Amino acid sequence: MRLIRAPQLSDVAEYAYAAELAPPARLIFTAGACPLDTEGRTVAPGDPAGQARQVMANLETALAAAGAGLADVVRTTVYVASGDRTDLVSVWQVVRDAFGDHDAPSTLLGVAVLGYPDQLVEVEAVAAVRAEVGERPPR
């Protein structure tokens, strides 16, 4: 994977503008990671940053089950159920901190509502893992 920065575009964004994959690669598409605990309860009601921490932990777990990690992510979409830009920024900071130096392309959206009661944050991702000839994906 190669993260691409476009010098003609602003460097204000905290992510690369594109990602390129060289074959062979196995693509992994996640469902939106939600701020649910192992019992299915929404954690940290009313706390976007707290929910983002749970979301990122759940995303890492889902990726690991598919044989990938955050460093393999080529794109994310981050949803925040809020019209307040400070909520979006606080969630984004948690997401960026989880990815460290790996600044894959991302979209951050404020939305009206998410699916679970008290849910404020959801993150979906696409990851790519180098596939060896004849390799079978993990089950």
Side-chain angles (χ1 to χ4, degrees), residues 91 103-104 138:
V91 167
D103 58 351

mmCIF file of all heavy atoms in Angstrom, residues 91 103-104 138:
data_model
loop_
_atom_site.group_PDB
_atom_site.id
_atom_site.type_symbol
_atom_site.label_atom_id
_atom_site.label_comp_id
_atom_site.label_asym_id
_atom_site.label_seq_id
_atom_site.Cartn_x
_atom_site.Cartn_y
_atom_site.Cartn_z
ATOM 1 N N VAL A 91 -13.957 13.328 18.349
ATOM 2 C CA VAL A 91 -13.964 11.962 17.829
ATOM 3 C C VAL A 91 -12.788 11.752 16.881
ATOM 4 O O VAL A 91 -12.069 10.753 16.966
ATOM 5 C CB VAL A 91 -15.304 11.645 17.124
ATOM 6 C CG1 VAL A 91 -15.211 10.355 16.313
ATOM 7 C CG2 VAL A 91 -16.429 11.570 18.139
ATOM 8 N N ASP A 103 -1.803 7.418 8.267
ATOM 9 C CA ASP A 103 -2.833 8.432 7.991
ATOM 10 C C ASP A 103 -3.592 8.141 6.697
ATOM 11 O O ASP A 103 -3.577 8.910 5.752
ATOM 12 C CB ASP A 103 -2.233 9.830 7.987
ATOM 13 C CG ASP A 103 -1.112 10.006 6.966
ATOM 14 O OD1 ASP A 103 -0.672 9.005 6.371
ATOM 15 O OD2 ASP A 103 -0.688 11.150 6.751
ATOM 16 N N ALA A 104 -4.274 6.999 6.683
ATOM 17 C CA ALA A 104 -5.050 6.586 5.509
ATOM 18 C C ALA A 104 -6.143 7.605 5.196
ATOM 19 O O ALA A 104 -6.619 8.306 6.085
ATOM 20 C CB ALA A 104 -5.671 5.217 5.761
ATOM 21 N N PRO A 138 -8.418 -16.028 6.354
ATOM 22 C CA PRO A 138 -8.785 -16.639 7.648
ATOM 23 C C PRO A 138 -10.288 -16.797 7.756
ATOM 24 O O PRO A 138 -11.042 -16.023 7.180
ATOM 25 C CB PRO A 138 -8.261 -15.653 8.692
ATOM 26 C CG PRO A 138 -7.771 -14.464 7.963
ATOM 27 C CD PRO A 138 -7.810 -14.736 6.505
#
